Amino acid sequence: MRSSAGEAALAIPALLYRYADAIDSGRFAEAAALFEHASLLVEGRRIQGAAAMEAMWQRWVRIYEDGTPRTRHLISNPCIELDADLKGASCRSQWTLLQKAGAALPLQLLATGRHHDRFAYIDGHWRFTERCYAGIDLAGDLSAHLLLPPEGGKGN
């Protein structure tokens, strides 16, 4: 089965947005399931498997009493390049992270960065095959969001 360019143009951004929605809702198992056919490249390490990905996010992300990290990932500028056979694609996108962590902290811009993704058309659906956390470009105070500080990135 083959995909069309139009289908890819809709399905690939939808995957990016589904990931952000699942993470922002604290549904790490759902986010990890999106990577069933994929690996994550994080700080020079390759993470494979939904259980390992879910565990990583649980170690990294602070969850509040409402069961969420109280964040909103805004995904923007998806630059999709389809492979000639329409069976694979790459995408570079940007993210902006906002948070309002309770009454004591105002709504704030926490960080911006990039993802580099690979996709494949598998069993009639576009799927992630690789995500590279390509870096944090700008960062503010992440202490109300992250349990572990990020490494790498371009700084504050």
Side-chain angles (χ1 to χ4, degrees):
M1 188 177 250
R2 237 176 107 145
S3 176
S4 69
E7 181 182 359
L10 293 173
I12 290 172
L15 281 170
L16 302 176
Y17 307 147
R18 285 176 56 204
Y19 163 81
D21 181 61
I23 292 291
D24 290 335
S25 298
R27 300 187 318 265
F28 298 150
E30 183 179 322
L34 294 173
F35 294 88
E36 171 187 0
H37 301 280
S39 61
L40 295 178
L41 295 172
V42 181
E43 298 172 352
R45 296 180 316 239
R46 185 173 298 276
I47 299 170
Q48 191 81 40
M53 291 174 200
E54 182 180 357
M56 176 191 69
W57 292 319
Q58 287 173 344
R59 281 192 314 273
W60 281 10
V61 179
R62 186 178 311 281
I63 297 296
Y64 289 86
E65 52 283 341
D66 66 354
T68 76
R70 310 248 352 184
T71 56
R72 184 69 59 225
H73 284 78
L74 306 177
I75 308 300
S76 61
N77 305 335
C79 297
I80 302 166
E81 296 181 21
L82 292 173
D83 295 351
D85 63 5
L86 298 179
K87 293 180 182 177
S90 63
C91 178
R92 294 177 320 280
S93 61
Q94 298 172 12
W95 54 265
T96 302
L97 180 61
L98 305 171
Q99 184 180 44
K100 172 122 178 58
L105 293 173
L107 177 65
Q108 55 187 328
L109 173 63
L110 293 185
T112 67
R114 295 161 282 117
H115 291 141
H116 295 169
D117 297 313
R118 286 285 312 156
F119 300 89
Y121 194 67
I122 300 170
D123 297 330
H125 301 282
W126 282 96
R127 311 278 188 185
F128 282 101
T129 57
E130 184 176 85
R131 164 156 280 182
C132 175
Y133 288 146
I136 296 173
D137 295 321
L138 303 169
D141 181 358
L142 294 167
S143 63
H145 174 53
L146 295 179
L147 298 169
L148 298 173
E151 297 175 21
K154 290 189 177 178
N156 305 343

